[in-house]
Amino acid sequence: SGCARTQRLALSADASGLGHVQHAPRAVLPDGLAAPPGRCYALAMCTAPSPVIAFHGTTARFESFDTERGQLGSHFGTLEQARRILRAHRRGSPLILRCQLQILRPLRLQDFGTFSPIAVGPQLVELGICSEEPRTNADSKATIRLAGFDGVVYANEREGAGDSWIAFDPAQVFVLSWLQP
């Protein structure tokens, strides 16, 4: 059933103890950098700067983020991206949350306007993370987690320039302040 039978990336460690991904068709590097296939890549190169400060536009009121609701999880981005989200959803009282994210090992994916299995699955197969495309959002998230990633980062193509982040778990999100748009 989809990527439930995930093909794990082969990992090895060198004398320094850094893990290396082997047999990946393409390295997943920060900021969209590409690296040639067929080499080992330190997992440390996939770590995010900590902490990540990002914004979330909403008209809902809640105690904690429900990372099971959205596609892969809760999405965060630049202040301008949060404002654009609110302009698109004019119902309710708009609020922008300034958050600190604890996403330490993000997987960089491409933004195709959706993070449904139709968009994410082919990317996971191409990256060598799984051999079959996931069929559900839960399968996609589980597959990414099994590969050692704790979130997603992507160059936002829809709401404005800059990286956006997807948190998999509410414990990764700390609300620092509330802003009026």
Side-chain angles (χ1 to χ4, degrees):
S1 62
C3 281
R5 296 182 304 252
T6 303
Q7 198 176 40
R8 296 292 306 267
L9 294 176
L11 299 175
S12 64
D14 61 15
S16 71
L18 283 177
H20 293 276
V21 177
Q22 295 178 340
H23 312 298
R26 183 173 57 173
V28 181
L29 301 176
D31 300 320
L33 299 175
R39 300 186 53 197
C40 292
Y41 304 98
L43 289 177
M45 295 182 77
C46 298
T47 59
S50 184
V52 173
I53 303 299
F55 300 87
H56 181 85
T58 185
T59 56
R61 301 298 182 258
F62 48 85
E63 292 294 318
S64 69
F65 283 90
D66 182 356
T67 54
E68 300 303 316
R69 268 186 80 193
Q71 293 178 346
L72 293 183
S74 297
H75 292 239
F76 301 84
T78 66
L79 181 57
E80 182 55 34
Q81 290 166 357
R83 286 183 174 139
R84 285 188 181 189
I85 287 288
L86 290 175
R87 283 194 293 270
H89 305 286
R90 295 183 181 249
R91 298 185 334 235
S93 300
L95 187 64
I96 294 178
L97 305 177
R98 181 175 173 263
C99 302
Q100 176 179 318
L101 306 178
Q102 293 294 357
I103 301 174
L104 303 176
R105 293 172 313 282
L107 173 65
R108 183 165 285 279
L109 293 176
Q110 288 184 292
D111 180 5
F112 293 111
T114 179
F115 285 88
S116 68
I118 292 170
V120 173
Q123 293 183 72
L124 297 179
V125 171
E126 182 181 337
L127 291 168
I129 291 175
C130 60
S131 58
E132 297 177 41
E133 293 179 18
R135 295 186 182 146
T136 67
N137 282 320
D139 283 348
S140 295
K141 187 189 294 190
T143 298
I144 294 167
R145 280 185 159 159
L146 275 172
F149 300 98
D150 65 347
V152 169
V153 62
Y154 60 96
N156 195 314
E157 301 289 335
R158 191 170 181 180
E159 287 87 22
D163 278 343
S164 289
W165 302 81
I166 303 174
F168 286 169
D169 189 289
Q172 294 175 292
V173 183
F174 302 93
V175 177
L176 300 174
S177 60
W178 293 264
L179 309 170
Q180 293 298 319

